[in-house]
């Protein structure tokens, strides 16, 4: 193909430039203008199409918009530049009919052997249309969890806490658990000694949670103060209490870590024991 192009150009370069060169340049410039114009158009279209909701934060809406813009722009870029390349090949004297025929054969082969690819694309469309998750969310697919770094019609890219990147085909996702959609929650179970005054424990827990909620630094991450909910269980060595509190998306781990630190300090000051497993042994005579 390279030899054909150079032969056509070298025969009569000025004539070629006059007859075809300016057309090739026009195609490149026109494709670039159309590309950047469509990028702006897609952004405005998505921003107007995604209606704000009082139940969804501005940050969540922004994540959804950026995800849709990224996918639509990538799809448009592939289609646009494919057409531009075909037009330029035609201008330099290459018959694109065999290329189109070959593309048709490849498409037919994909039709028979690309069921998985088609399944991935269809699944990706529903993920985006149903707003199951977006770039910036923390999700779990079975045992694989991580931050969504990118999503397209074929696959979703996650990065876990170890920095490992997981490439998950959309068609393989049977269940998606979004840990950061709209809001997150601190859900803690803490064991206390059976000898502890339960009413005092409840008061201390609620006081620590309220104090943290009123802290200017942590208040920006929280939606409600963590509070005692109930006695969750009577375990072998401890009475288990449950503490709940709502946070902004992805902030539940930061809030939970600080809450554990403050609870430990408060329990020590108030003589509330967090017991370790104990076993009573009766020695026979």
């Amino acid at each position: 193909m390279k030899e054909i192009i150079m032969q056509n150009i070298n025969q009569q370069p000025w004539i070629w430039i006059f007859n075809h060169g300016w057309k090739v340049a026009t195609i490149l410039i026109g494709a670039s203008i159309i590309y950047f114009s469509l990028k702006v158009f897609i952004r405005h279209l998505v921003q107007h199409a995604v209606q704000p909701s009082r139940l969804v934060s501005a940050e969540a809406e922004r994540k959804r918009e950026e995800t849709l813009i990224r996918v639509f722009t990538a799809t448009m870029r592939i289609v646009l530049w494919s057409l531009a390349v075909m037009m330029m090949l035609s201008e330099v004297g290459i018959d694109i009919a065999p290329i189109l025929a070959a593309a048709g054969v490849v498409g037919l082969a994909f039709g028979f052997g690309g069921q998985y690819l088609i399944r991935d694309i269809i699944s990706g469309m529903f993920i985006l249309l149903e707003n199951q998750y977006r770039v910036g969310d923390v999700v779990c697919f079975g045992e694989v969890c991580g931050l969504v770094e990118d999503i397209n019609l074929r696959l979703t890219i996650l990065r876990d806490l170890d920095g490992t990147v997981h490439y998950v085909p959309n068609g393989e996702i049977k269940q998606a658990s979004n840990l950061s959609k709209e809001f997150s929650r601190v859900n803690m179970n803490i064991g206390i000694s059976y000898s502890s005054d339960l009413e005092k424990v409840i008061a201390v827990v609620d006081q620590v949670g309220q104090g943290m909620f009123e802290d200017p630094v942590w208040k920006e991450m929280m939606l409600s103060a963590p509070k005692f909910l109930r006695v969750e269980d009577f375990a072998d060595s401890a009475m288990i209490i449950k503490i709940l509190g709502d946070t902004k998306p992805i902030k539940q781990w930061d809030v939970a870590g600080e809450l554990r630190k403050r609870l430990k300090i408060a329990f020590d000051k108030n003589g509330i024991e967090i017991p370790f497993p104990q076993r009573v042994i009766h020695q026979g005579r």
Side-chain angles (χ1 to χ4, degrees):
M1 181 179 296
K2 181 178 179 180
E3 289 77 7
I4 297 175
I5 296 174
M6 295 306 299
Q7 181 180 0
N8 290 333
I9 294 176
N10 290 331
Q11 285 178 351
Q12 295 175 313
W14 293 109
I15 295 177
W16 184 90
I17 293 173
F18 182 78
N19 291 332
H20 302 284
W22 69 270
K23 293 181 181 180
V24 174
T26 301
I27 293 171
L28 281 172
I29 296 172
S32 300
I33 293 174
I34 293 173
Y35 172 65
F36 289 108
S37 299
L38 285 177
K39 280 183 65 176
V40 175
F41 173 76
I42 289 173
R43 178 169 292 276
H44 285 293
L45 181 63
V46 170
Q47 290 174 345
H48 283 84
V50 177
Q51 297 297 324
S53 172
R54 62 182 181 85
L55 300 177
V56 180
S57 66
E59 179 66 15
E61 291 291 349
R62 186 191 64 78
K63 287 181 181 179
R64 184 185 182 191
E65 290 176 1
E66 290 300 325
T67 300
L68 293 172
I69 291 169
R70 186 188 302 236
V71 172
F72 291 151
T73 301
T75 304
M76 176 270 298
R77 181 174 60 247
I78 294 172
V79 174
L80 176 63
W81 286 109
S82 297
L83 293 174
V85 169
M86 289 296 179
M87 294 173 66
M88 286 187 291
L89 289 176
S90 179
E91 283 299 324
V92 298
I94 295 178
D95 186 7
I96 64 173
I99 299 176
L100 295 176
V105 173
V106 173
L108 184 62
F110 273 114
F112 288 106
Q115 295 94 336
Y116 292 106
L117 177 61
I118 295 172
R119 183 189 63 180
D120 293 342
I121 292 174
I122 293 175
S123 298
M125 290 175 59
F126 279 105
I127 288 172
L128 293 172
L129 291 175
E130 295 173 358
N131 192 28
Q132 296 178 15
Y133 53 84
R134 302 139 300 188
V135 172
D137 281 343
V138 176
V139 299
C140 290
F141 304 143
E143 296 182 356
V144 178
C145 299
L147 179 73
V148 179
E149 289 199 337
D150 194 10
I151 175 175
N152 54 50
L153 292 179
R154 194 179 72 83
L155 55 78
T156 299
I157 301 175
L158 302 182
R159 186 182 296 273
D160 63 24
L161 282 178
D162 295 328
T164 304
V165 178
H166 303 272
Y167 297 88
V168 185
N170 292 328
E172 299 293 330
I173 300 173
K174 305 301 180 184
Q175 176 179 327
S177 302
N178 194 330
L179 306 184
S180 57
K181 188 173 184 179
E182 299 180 8
F183 71 93
S184 299
R185 177 169 290 160
V186 171
N187 182 3
M188 295 173 51
N189 290 337
I190 296 180
I192 60 173
S193 172
Y194 280 104
S195 62
S196 300
D197 182 345
L198 186 57
E199 294 298 329
K200 182 179 180 181
V201 171
I202 295 173
V204 170
V205 169
D206 290 349
Q207 181 181 2
V208 171
Q210 186 63 36
M212 189 171 173
F213 185 64
E214 294 174 356
D215 188 318
V217 175
W218 294 97
K219 183 177 178 62
E220 296 299 320
M221 304 182 190
M222 304 168 67
L223 299 177
S224 66
K227 294 182 179 180
F228 170 88
L229 180 65
R230 61 173 176 258
V231 175
E232 183 70 10
D233 193 15
F234 292 126
D236 293 338
S237 304
M239 180 167 49
I240 309 300
I241 63 172
K242 179 174 286 293
I243 302 171
L244 289 184
D246 293 340
T247 73
K248 292 184 178 179
I250 317 183
K251 299 301 182 182
Q252 65 268 42
W253 298 289
D254 297 326
V255 173
E258 178 67 13
L259 181 61
R260 290 190 186 96
K261 183 188 78 173
R262 296 190 181 204
L263 284 174
K264 178 62 171 65
I265 295 173
F267 283 179
D268 289 345
K269 289 181 178 179
N270 288 273
I272 300 172
E273 180 184 358
I274 301 177
F276 52 85
Q278 302 178 31
R279 179 173 296 176
V280 177
I281 298 177
H282 299 277
Q283 185 175 2
R285 295 180 180 178

